[in-house]
Amino acid sequence: SKTYGAIRLSNLNVMASGISSISRTGAYAFALSGDNRVTVFDQHNRAIRSIQLPRGLNISQIVYNGSSLYIGLIGGGCKIFSISDSKLTDMPGIDAHSSILTLYQGSQNILWLGTDGRGLGQTYSYDPVFRSVLFSFPVRCFSEYKKGEMLVGTKGAGLQILNTATCSLSPLASES
């Protein structure tokens, strides 16, 4: 985990020793500290809320989706933190022993989850179904690519192209 010194956010100077990650989703930015405190910043980079998550969680990444924080866990599972009532629940359909190493908020409010050796999955805010694309390599990152496609970074299989309509994968190098 990286440690940042002073981070300048608008007129707020945050002394951020122990910050393990900083991410932006939509109009909000999130700074996660080593003690699992999440500081939420608005679109003007002003701290608007501090959320203390349980210290026993080994957090890989946090993504804001609607009114909740989705929290990927190294060692297994994904948690949902409801911002309105501060409740922390397990994400339905996610194996508690499956490490979620990366999360990505895609278009149409689809949340993509990259696992350590159990493929990748997607959730829809309008449909509780969880779909998996299984392959034997750990997923490390996502990025939009072309219309209807995403790049999926893996450990051991390189960059893969995911067709989001068919959920099929192909190596990036084989594209002509």
Side-chain angles (χ1 to χ4, degrees):
S1 100
K2 295 179 183 175
T3 301
Y4 297 87
I7 300 170
R8 186 82 179 151
L9 294 167
S10 187
N11 60 353
L12 176 69
N13 189 21
V14 178
M15 290 309 294
S17 66
I19 295 292
S20 58
S21 70
I22 298 173
S23 62
R24 179 167 292 279
T25 303
Y28 299 99
F30 305 92
L32 174 65
S33 66
D35 65 351
N36 284 355
R37 177 168 301 281
V38 177
T39 304
V40 183
F41 298 90
D42 67 10
Q43 65 271 23
H44 303 291
N45 294 325
R46 292 183 297 236
I48 59 172
R49 182 155 185 199
S50 179
I51 301 166
Q52 180 62 58
L53 298 173
R55 294 178 195 264
L57 298 178
N58 191 0
I59 298 172
S60 62
Q61 192 171 7
I62 294 176
V63 171
Y64 177 72
N65 184 346
S67 61
S68 300
L69 294 176
Y70 286 77
I71 305 162
L73 301 176
I74 297 169
C78 189
K79 301 282 188 186
I80 303 171
F81 180 84
S82 170
I83 292 179
S84 61
D85 61 11
S86 297
K87 289 187 179 176
L88 185 69
T89 58
D90 290 324
M91 186 173 193
I94 304 295
D95 181 6
H97 302 291
S98 192
S99 290
I100 305 298
L101 300 180
T102 186
L103 300 169
Y104 175 72
Q105 179 65 55
S107 63
Q108 301 177 4
N109 213 23
I110 297 173
L111 179 68
W112 294 87
L113 300 93
T115 70
D116 191 14
R118 296 193 181 203
L120 56 101
Q122 59 186 170
T123 63
Y124 304 88
S125 62
Y126 52 84
D127 184 356
V129 175
F130 179 84
R131 294 176 57 196
S132 293
V133 178
L134 295 175
F135 57 102
S136 59
F137 297 100
V139 175
R140 297 296 191 234
C141 61
F142 301 105
S143 181
E144 288 189 59
Y145 188 50
K146 296 177 182 174
K147 185 174 180 164
E149 296 180 331
M150 288 176 38
L151 288 177
V152 180
T154 69
K155 178 181 177 187
L159 282 174
Q160 300 283 316
I161 300 171
L162 172 70
N163 179 312
T164 57
T166 64
C167 290
S168 61
L169 289 165
S170 60
L172 177 65
S174 70
E175 184 176 89
S176 49

